[in-house]
Amino acid sequence: TETLAAGRPYNPIKTGEHGFDSGTRPAPGAVSASASRLATASTLSEQNSSAKTGTEAVQGNNATVDTLDRVRVDAAGQVLTTNQGVAIADNQNSLKYGERGPVLLEDFILREKITHFDHERIPERIVHARGSGAHGFFECYEPLTELTRAAPFQEAGKITPVFVRFSTVAGERGSKDTARDVRGFAVKFYTDEGNWDLVGNNMPVFFIQDAMKFPDLVHAVKPEPHHQMPQAASAHDTFWDFVSLMPESTHMLMWLMSDRAIPRSFATMQGFGVHTFRFVNAEGQSVFVKFHWNPKAGTHSLVWDEAVKISGADPDYNRRDLWERIEAGAYPEYELGVQVFTEQEADAFSFDILDATKLIPEELVPVRPIGRMVLNRNPDNFFAETEQVAFCAAHVVPGIDFSNDPLLAGRIHSYVDTQISRLGGPNFHEIPINTPLTQVHNNQRDGMHRQAIHRGKVAYEPNSLGGGCPFQAGAAQGFVSVPARIEARAAQGKVRAKPEKFADHYTQAKLFFNSQSPFEQAHIAAAFRFELSKVTVPAIRERMVSSLRNVSEELANQVAAKLGITEMPEPMPKALTSTPAAEVNMSPSLSLLARPGETGIQGRKVALLVANGVEAESLIKLHSKLFELGAVPRFVAPHIGPLTTSKGAVIDADASLENEPGFLFDALVLPDGERGVRELAKDGHTLEFIKDQYRHCKPIMVMTASTVLMHMAQIPPLLPSGNEDPGIVVGIDDSAIAQFVSAIARHRHPERETDPPAV
Ligand code: HDD
């Protein structure tokens, strides 16, 4: 076999047959022998993984990443072949009868190539079509054996590999990242007792209470069927028609109109399991649980004007940010927290825990941190991993179980069903990114694209011919559903109905709105104004305003005024005349400001404007300081390439004012050096750059010679309140740098914001 393998095209799927290692799966955490041969450390994230995380985690990470090695293909040093492994002599010309003659049907090489190409696309996801994935690991803080027997939570320090996919919901696969939309936050845990998918969103509530309404919701928000517009946007008639007729969506609309719907980065948004789930321990005792992902980098969002501009200049804004953070070793990290409560506690709440339009205020049930997730490796191939990954709300492991949330019930059905058409048959669990680390044995057979070669003649159970295998695991090892009591009142029997508490649609919408800071509230009002101003039917706008009156009169008035509604419509009639008193009326943790983050300025992009003739020393000092703190400083100039500074040194510009406009950066530095400043002043892009930074409330550092640029851009020297603007730092000494760094850490300085914008 040695001689056979040597010098032959190496097919990594068939390691066993070619006499390399047997192709068995490595134990979780083990580094497979083939890894060193096949995987060349090609990305920075691979090279960096151990040094940067510095924990056992990298090993855990390798557990999934390693099993994928059996299918990773590296063509280095190999000849080009057909799919049958036949070497191809000429990949330039089709087979013809004479140089100028017709192409021959016989050309199987041409036909194989074109046929495969013709089928390169698969259907996109019906929702969440646009997404970005990453590998990583989950690390458990402490054993949770009292609460759950779920494998990831059994030991302190235990590592479980994960694959995560973030997504927008409404847009098509090639749509922009910065649409106003919910973000998907789907985590596949490759546990050592099978795959568990926590398929969540970046908002803790949902539009509807029952899966029966999901197709209606999606048809309403997707581009309108007659002309297929607008793309990746909810600002159109059908969406607002539907939601204004569905008062249960009001709470979710508050979230969707908030800046949560335009995250600055996937690394700066929360994630939520949304539904109530159950934890089940080894004794079979169960408690209810809600899952929360809290980003270590804090919660930071864009502002609308910025998101709109970014979608033109960089439609891949969030995807690029995720990729670059991982390549740079600034791994996105999230803490997993749980709200745990009993059935008795749940019964006493003023809302129903089976209602996905309600959250449980953290002030009522605190969030207990139980572990952390680090994303430390980019996929090798977008299609094979991010596109083919199949998440499913029904994928749970022993220790996790469902509640009776009727939205969840529909999801338990929908995901497998959708993958069957999207991924072409029932065997998508065999696609490498979807395979569990545990072995799979059952009597399911055949179907499209079957990979496993089942041996023997037994495909049924019970059997004696196969020695009774595979055999039932029994309750100690296998999945056992919680024997939850069914509450249907005897007299009710089978019904199509909802419990009464589901009908309170406004208490939590109010709670959310009242818990926002003034600038967050202003952004919510502006978002309603914008979206509804795109609605062409006045009756829909009015209906929405009538619904908002049940949330906040002030909000309703503000929105109505900007829609030209002079006579306020009556508040929408409520389904319930009296609702149980809410436990909390303010929940500070619902504000984005509640989580500024622990990672300082890491990952923030800072533009240092330069041109021929700028003063270099101060810029270089600042550049290295920012770099040291984990920020991404970039020299931006009228053109890319080398520039000569005031003292004749050379600075290389990374980007131009044209190819990376101001709104792509989190902060701006205006240089010293009069000649350079004069050159910048001649370029209209410079003033737009400054204006956008100011309008989007981002910090600006102004070195003395550049104060003229601030005047030219008509930047007000003081805040509207008359106070100094803490986001504008003049000078370059150490205290100015310190002030600038803390201004960047704060991200935005909304106290300068006016509506409409002054600049
Ligand atoms: Fe869903 C995809 C999250 C309700 C049916 N959903 C999908 C994805 C996420 C969510 C993150 C993308 C997974 C990926 O990256 O591949 N969905 C949610 C959340 C919901 C929710 C948090 C409410 C709490 N979904 C929901 C309902 C249904 C679906 C009620 C149907 C009854 N969702 C699907 C789907 C998708 C999907 C049609 C499309 C592509 C896919 O599953 O793989 O089955």
Side-chain angles (χ1 to χ4, degrees), residues 304-527:
W304 177 243
D305 183 71
E306 189 186 18
V308 170
K309 288 172 173 162
I310 291 173
S311 69
D314 188 3
D316 307 307
Y317 184 74
N318 290 139
R319 173 177 293 181
R320 189 185 312 287
D321 172 272
L322 178 67
W323 181 273
E324 288 180 349
R325 276 175 200 258
I326 294 175
E327 287 302 291
Y331 302 132
E333 188 170 336
Y334 312 79
E335 190 157 72
L336 180 63
V338 286
Q339 286 176 300
V340 174
F341 52 98
T342 62
E343 197 137 2
Q344 290 68 34
E345 286 171 305
D347 288 345
F349 293 155
S350 64
F351 49 88
D352 198 318
I353 54 109
L354 301 183
D355 175 355
T357 68
K358 308 291 190 326
L359 51 78
I360 304 185
E362 293 183 24
E363 293 73 13
L364 184 60
V365 179
V367 177
R368 168 177 172 192
I370 61 171
R372 66 179 188 127
M373 176 172 76
V374 179
L375 302 181
N376 64 353
R377 176 169 168 139
N378 280 314
D380 289 292
N381 183 283
F382 185 90
F383 181 83
E385 299 171 77
T386 309
E387 194 61 19
Q388 292 201 111
V389 68
F391 291 94
C392 178
H395 292 170
V396 290
V397 292
I400 312 277
D401 206 344
F402 311 113
S403 67
N404 288 342
D405 178 338
L407 191 70
L408 178 56
R411 298 184 69 197
I412 291 169
H413 163 73
S414 180
Y415 290 73
V416 167
D417 187 39
T418 204
Q419 312 305 353
I420 289 173
S421 65
R422 185 173 77 86
L423 297 171
N427 289 319
F428 60 86
H429 62 282
E430 293 188 328
I431 296 172
I433 191 71
N434 296 323
T435 54
L437 292 173
T438 45
Q439 296 198 10
V440 175
H441 293 291
N442 55 44
N443 295 313
Q444 295 171 28
R445 288 293 182 272
D446 310 343
M448 297 281 238
H449 315 303
R450 191 62 164 168
Q451 308 287 304
I453 303 175
H454 292 104
R455 302 174 70 188
K457 58 183 170 185
V458 169
Y460 54 88
E461 192 272 342
N463 69 67
S464 67
L465 296 179
C469 295
F471 53 89
Q472 292 183 158
Q477 193 189 344
F479 184 88
V480 181
S481 295
V482 173
R485 66 192 160 94
I486 303 286
E487 287 175 16
R489 278 169 246 150
Q492 275 189 333
K494 289 182 191 170
V495 288
R496 291 187 188 272
K498 288 191 175 72
E500 184 168 284
K501 282 179 192 167
F502 275 46
D504 171 16
H505 305 313
Y506 299 107
T507 305
Q508 289 211 349
K510 255 188 234 171
L511 170 70
F512 178 75
F513 188 69
N514 292 342
S515 303
Q516 304 298 296
S517 63
F519 89 91
E520 290 174 297
Q521 289 186 337
H523 291 188
I524 291 171

Side-chain angles (χ1 to χ4, degrees), residues 125-126 128 165 200-201 206 214 275 391 411 414-415 419:
R125 289 165 175 81
I126 171 71
H128 297 263
R165 185 173 178 274
N201 279 340
F206 203 64
F214 192 66
H275 310 282
F391 291 94
R411 298 184 69 197
S414 180
Y415 290 73
Q419 312 305 353

Side-chain angles (χ1 to χ4, degrees), residues 95-381:
L95 184 68
K96 287 175 290 192
Y97 190 72
E99 278 173 7
R100 305 190 63 247
V103 172
L104 301 177
L105 187 61
E106 175 194 321
D107 191 350
F108 67 94
I109 297 179
L110 170 74
R111 282 174 41 219
E112 183 200 78
K113 184 173 177 180
I114 301 290
T115 304
H116 194 276
F117 167 78
D118 289 343
H119 299 275
E120 272 177 10
R121 291 290 171 276
I122 61 169
E124 65 173 34
R125 289 165 175 81
I126 171 71
V127 283
H128 297 263
R130 180 166 178 82
S132 304
H135 293 275
F137 62 86
F138 173 77
E139 181 178 10
C140 180
Y141 287 160
E142 53 183 326
L144 293 185
T145 41
E146 263 177 53
L147 293 175
T148 176
R149 61 178 277 209
F153 307 121
Q154 297 307 291
E155 270 171 60
K158 179 162 183 181
I159 298 294
T160 301
V162 299
F163 186 78
V164 176
R165 185 173 178 274
F166 302 110
S167 47
T168 54
V169 180
E172 290 168 9
R173 186 151 64 191
S175 57
K176 61 198 177 196
D177 275 352
T178 55
R180 174 174 297 286
D181 201 350
V182 184
R183 297 298 181 284
F185 193 128
V187 182
K188 190 180 282 295
F189 291 81
Y190 302 88
T191 86
D192 37 48
E193 298 200 2
N195 285 354
W196 171 36
D197 295 350
L198 185 54
V199 195
N201 279 340
N202 74 330
M203 298 174 190
V205 289
F206 203 64
F207 295 95
I208 49 170
Q209 298 168 322
D210 189 313
M212 191 70 149
K213 300 308 298 170
F214 192 66
D216 299 289
L217 166 72
V218 176
H219 290 173
V221 71
K222 282 273 180 179
E224 297 187 10
H226 55 313
H227 55 26
Q228 204 52 196
M229 290 190 277
Q231 180 56 245
S234 51
H236 59 115
D237 288 358
T238 55
F239 176 72
W240 288 98
D241 185 28
F242 176 76
V243 291
S244 65
L245 293 167
M246 292 287 292
E248 70 197 47
S249 65
T250 313
H251 185 193
M252 181 65 163
L253 289 175
M254 293 292 140
W255 287 80
L256 187 67
M257 293 303 112
S258 80
D259 293 345
R260 302 255 178 183
I262 40 174
R264 160 66 182 81
S265 161
F266 295 136
T268 62
M269 63 184 200
Q270 289 178 282
F272 301 92
V274 182
H275 310 282
T276 300
F277 291 89
R278 287 172 187 274
F279 265 162
V280 192
N281 67 15
E283 281 75 55
Q285 295 155 335
S286 104
V287 283
F288 284 131
V289 58
K290 288 236 179 198
F291 295 102
H292 296 238
W293 293 109
N294 284 325
K296 286 278 171 80
T299 43
H300 299 280
S301 281
L302 300 172
V303 294
W304 177 243
D305 183 71
E306 189 186 18
V308 170
K309 288 172 173 162
I310 291 173
S311 69
D314 188 3
D316 307 307
Y317 184 74
N318 290 139
R319 173 177 293 181
R320 189 185 312 287
D321 172 272
L322 178 67
W323 181 273
E324 288 180 349
R325 276 175 200 258
I326 294 175
E327 287 302 291
Y331 302 132
E333 188 170 336
Y334 312 79
E335 190 157 72
L336 180 63
V338 286
Q339 286 176 300
V340 174
F341 52 98
T342 62
E343 197 137 2
Q344 290 68 34
E345 286 171 305
D347 288 345
F349 293 155
S350 64
F351 49 88
D352 198 318
I353 54 109
L354 301 183
D355 175 355
T357 68
K358 308 291 190 326
L359 51 78
I360 304 185
E362 293 183 24
E363 293 73 13
L364 184 60
V365 179
V367 177
R368 168 177 172 192
I370 61 171
R372 66 179 188 127
M373 176 172 76
V374 179
L375 302 181
N376 64 353
R377 176 169 168 139
N378 280 314
D380 289 292
N381 183 283

